[in-house]
């Protein structure tokens, strides 16, 4: 029996159209006289905005997730990558991406559109190497990678030392000179400043949207959140996406005011930690049959949302936007560097305890009953320290279950075994088996 009213998101159709146009624009960029670039979802994409409004990108992680969602397509891409000689234990997003190039097959139809250059950042073991190989497979595409491994952000460091911010900002300035040289285009600082502010606007607004899921009933479930957080991973500096997040924020605020639930029979709340097995998102619907809603995760909240962790209060709150917009290229680079170095998903690369603290804060303030950890063989970077996270969360009194799988390789996920484990876990939370 329904406990709360529920209804579809009004902006759902618009979200689907925006995503479809994004991938179509990348495909058709050359027909429009534009430029294509490829890079990580974590790339500082605002830096490319100064090249013009006809510059389109593809970001590898969400593209790899789209491939993985289509299991027969993904199987062809993974096989092609392995037959070429890439090891099966590498990042599965990366292998799907390389397989797409090798088969010359675009996941959204037609041949794989070749990029004009690659621009990425590097913090996990795969990022720059991903595009080094992609550039070689595409026949020698130029690559620029920014090292963002400048150290943790406060409170996980005593202070944010200026030299760390400057280290990243100066790489952005070098990247701008490099982009002018390889494209032959004059860089427009006004477009860059606009893109920089859109980046800050979208990542701030996304965090505010996730805050609303503290409400009971939760207005959003995690399976839907995956379809919404993706805009930050596609292109944070995109003005249409920043505007869409502001529209979405208003709609979710309205859902909270009216008590609209994502799961009508919400009886328990769980959270996850990292990427799901994209070919098996039905596990979230399985949770719902028990009356359990997954409210999100550090991954969906903090990959492209900007937050600050308050050590004294154990709080996790959206990072306030800067008071003023940047006025020069140099100011924008420093602002972007400082903004992104506080990204929650960067912090756990320095110590697993940082991730445990942030997850503990989410579990308490979003009123979570249980935590589900994915021992994700497909992502070495975001699975770093996950066993330590489990122990740390148990020590803090949380109920935790784990399962093994792979975000982008269906051969490493046992759906029946995982749903059986979920059933046992949900019973331990006091839920009754659905009749």
């Amino acid at each position: 029996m329904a406990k709360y009213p529920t209804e579809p998101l009004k902006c759902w159709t618009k979200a689907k159209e925006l995503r479809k146009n994004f991938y179509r624009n990348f495909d058709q960029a050359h027909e429009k006289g534009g430029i294509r670039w490829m890079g990580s979802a974590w790339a500082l994409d605002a830096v490319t905005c100064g090249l013009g409004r006809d510059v389109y990108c593809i970001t590898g992680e969400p593209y790899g997730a789209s491939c993985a969602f289509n299991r027969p397509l993904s199987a062809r891409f993974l096989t092609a990558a392995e037959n070429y000689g890439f090891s099966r234990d590498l990042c599965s997003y990366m292998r799907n991406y390389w397989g797409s190039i090798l088969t010359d097959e675009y996941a959204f139809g037609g041949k794989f559109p070749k990029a004009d250059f690659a621009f990425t950042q590097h913090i996990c073991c795969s990022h720059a190497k991903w595009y080094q190989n992609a550039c070689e497979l595409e026949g020698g595409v130029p690559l620029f990678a920014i090292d963002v491994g400048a150290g943790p952000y406060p409170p996980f460091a005593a202070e944010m030392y200026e030299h760390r911010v400057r280290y990243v900002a100066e790489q952005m300035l070098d990247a701008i000179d490099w982009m002018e040289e390889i494209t032959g285009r004059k860089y427009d600082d006004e477009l860059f400043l606009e893109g920089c502010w859109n980046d800050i606007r979208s990542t701030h607004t996304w965090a505010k949207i996730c805050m609303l899921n503290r409400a009971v009933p939760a207005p959003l479930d995690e399976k839907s959140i995956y379809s919404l957080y993706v805009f930050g991973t596609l292109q944070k500096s995109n003005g249409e996406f920043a505007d869409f997040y502001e529209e979405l924020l208003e709609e979710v605020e309205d859902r909270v005011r009216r008590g609209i639930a994502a799961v009508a029979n919400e009886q328990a709340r769980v959270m996850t930690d990292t990427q799901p097995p994209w070919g098996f998102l039905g596990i979230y619907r399985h949770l719902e049959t028990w009356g359990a809603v997954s409210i999100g995760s550090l991954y969906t909240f903090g990959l492209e949302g900007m937050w600050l962790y308050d050590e004294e209060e154990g709080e996790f709150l959206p990072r306030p936007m800067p008071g003023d917009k940047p006025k020069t290229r140099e100011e924008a680079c420093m602002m972007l560097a400082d903004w992104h170095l506080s990204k929650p998903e960067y912090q756990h690369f320095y110590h697993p305890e940082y991730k445990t603290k942030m997850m503990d804060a989410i579990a308490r303030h979003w009123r979570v009953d249980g935590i589900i950890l994915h021992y994700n063989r497909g992502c070495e970077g975001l699975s770093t320290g996950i066993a330590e996270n489990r122990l740390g969360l148990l020590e803090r009194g949380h109920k935790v279950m784990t399962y093994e799988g792979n975000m982008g390789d269906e051969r490493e996920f046992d759906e029946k075994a995982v749903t059986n484990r979920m059933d046992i876990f949900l019973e331990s939370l006091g839920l009754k088996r659905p009749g």
Side-chain angles (χ1 to χ4, degrees):
M1 181 180 295
K3 188 175 175 183
Y4 301 106
T6 188
E7 64 184 36
L9 279 167
K10 298 182 179 68
C11 64
W12 193 254
T13 303
K14 183 173 184 179
K16 290 174 69 174
E17 192 64 25
L18 284 172
R19 180 174 172 274
K20 181 180 172 184
N21 289 342
F22 177 84
Y23 283 113
R24 185 169 56 203
N25 284 337
F26 181 76
D27 186 29
Q28 298 176 351
H30 286 177
E31 297 169 27
K32 301 173 183 176
I35 293 175
R36 296 188 190 118
W37 66 273
M38 59 179 165
S40 167
W42 304 22
L44 297 150
D45 53 68
V47 178
T48 67
C49 292
L51 293 174
R53 296 195 188 277
D54 58 348
V55 177
Y56 305 96
C57 66
I58 187 169
T59 44
E61 294 90 339
Y63 182 76
S66 296
C67 297
F69 180 75
N70 184 339
R71 283 187 262 165
L73 182 75
S74 176
R76 290 203 298 277
F77 291 169
L78 294 170
T79 299
E82 287 163 22
N83 287 344
Y84 187 80
F86 292 121
S87 173
R88 183 172 165 173
D89 61 357
L90 294 174
C91 165
S92 54
Y93 282 165
M94 190 165 69
R95 287 184 287 125
N96 272 291
Y97 192 92
W98 289 339
S100 187
I101 298 174
L102 286 164
T103 58
D104 196 19
E105 187 174 358
Y106 193 40
F108 303 96
K111 294 181 179 297
F112 187 84
K114 180 180 173 181
D116 298 298
F117 66 90
F119 174 65
T120 190
Q121 55 91 71
H122 190 84
I123 192 164
C124 93
C125 52
S126 299
H127 283 139
K129 302 303 289 184
W130 176 331
Y131 296 98
Q132 180 184 6
N133 281 294
C135 287
E136 290 175 5
L137 292 174
E138 292 195 356
V141 173
L143 162 68
F144 194 104
I146 290 181
D147 174 21
V148 295
Y153 202 84
F156 305 123
E159 60 180 284
M160 197 55 203
Y161 306 100
E162 184 180 338
H163 68 272
R164 292 183 176 180
V165 179
R166 192 167 295 285
Y167 170 64
V168 176
E170 289 183 352
Q171 292 179 76
M172 284 189 246
L173 292 170
D174 290 343
I176 290 171
D177 293 340
W178 175 82
M179 287 176 192
E180 282 191 312
E181 182 180 342
I182 60 157
T183 63
R185 289 192 174 194
K186 184 173 174 51
Y187 196 81
D188 186 327
D189 280 346
E190 290 303 315
L191 291 180
F192 172 43
L193 299 180
E194 179 184 311
C196 172
W197 198 248
N198 283 335
D199 174 319
I200 290 170
R201 194 160 59 97
S202 61
T203 51
H204 170 75
T205 307
W206 177 248
K208 290 177 70 175
I209 292 166
C210 296
M211 275 290 285
L212 294 169
N213 243 18
R214 288 186 174 191
V216 179
L220 298 172
D221 65 282
E222 192 168 25
K223 186 172 183 294
S224 300
I225 290 173
Y226 288 135
S227 298
L228 300 168
Y229 95 114
V230 72
F231 295 105
T233 70
L234 294 176
Q235 193 178 25
K236 298 169 284 298
S237 59
N238 186 311
E240 273 192 301
F241 295 169
D243 291 344
F244 173 74
Y245 275 163
E246 290 177 352
E247 182 181 335
L248 176 63
L249 175 64
E250 289 182 11
E251 181 174 351
V252 179
E253 286 173 337
D254 179 60
R255 287 172 74 91
V256 171
R257 275 193 298 271
R258 295 189 292 122
I260 302 299
V263 175
N265 188 31
E266 178 183 319
Q267 299 180 60
R269 298 157 71 90
V270 299
M271 64 180 277
T272 65
D273 66 323
T274 189
Q275 306 99 318
W278 290 106
F280 302 89
L281 293 180
I283 59 175
Y284 290 90
R285 296 294 178 244
H286 182 74
L287 292 172
E288 292 170 12
T289 64
W290 283 76
V293 60
S294 184
I295 55 87
S297 62
L298 181 65
Y299 170 74
T300 47
F301 290 3
L303 180 65
E304 300 297 354
M306 219 53 76
W307 304 75
L308 289 176
Y309 175 70
D310 184 325
E311 182 92 70
E312 290 186 5
E313 301 293 330
E315 254 288 17
F316 193 61
L317 297 168
R319 180 174 177 178
M321 290 182 68
D324 298 306
K325 296 180 181 180
K327 297 180 179 63
T328 65
R329 178 188 298 187
E330 290 73 18
E331 278 185 20
C333 288
M334 287 293 285
M335 185 179 286
L336 269 182
D338 182 74
W339 186 254
H340 278 272
L341 287 174
S342 70
K343 186 193 294 285
E345 285 291 63
Y346 279 172
Q347 310 311 313
H348 74 89
F349 283 95
Y350 303 109
H351 200 292
E353 178 66 8
Y354 304 159
K355 180 177 176 181
T356 302
K357 287 182 174 180
M358 291 185 283
M359 289 188 68
D360 174 55
I362 294 173
R364 288 186 292 103
H365 292 288
W366 275 255
R367 291 180 269 187
V368 162
D369 301 291
I371 300 171
I372 300 174
L373 302 180
H374 181 191
Y375 283 13
N376 180 6
R377 297 177 188 167
C379 181
E380 295 90 342
L382 294 187
S383 296
T384 301
I386 193 170
E388 286 84 353
N389 299 141
R390 173 183 170 272
L391 293 174
L393 292 165
L394 288 170
E395 287 168 0
R396 286 166 170 82
H398 299 292
K399 295 180 179 178
V400 183
M401 74 155 273
T402 63
Y403 69 92
E404 291 188 40
N406 191 310
M407 62 189 180
D409 189 336
E410 65 165 322
R411 297 166 296 183
E412 296 188 339
F413 184 74
D414 185 335
E415 186 174 20
K416 182 64 178 172
V418 170
T419 53
N420 283 342
R421 287 178 69 86
M422 286 180 166
D423 291 348
I424 296 167
F425 183 62
L426 294 169
E427 280 191 319
S428 76
L429 299 182
L431 296 179
K432 291 184 179 177
R433 186 176 290 272

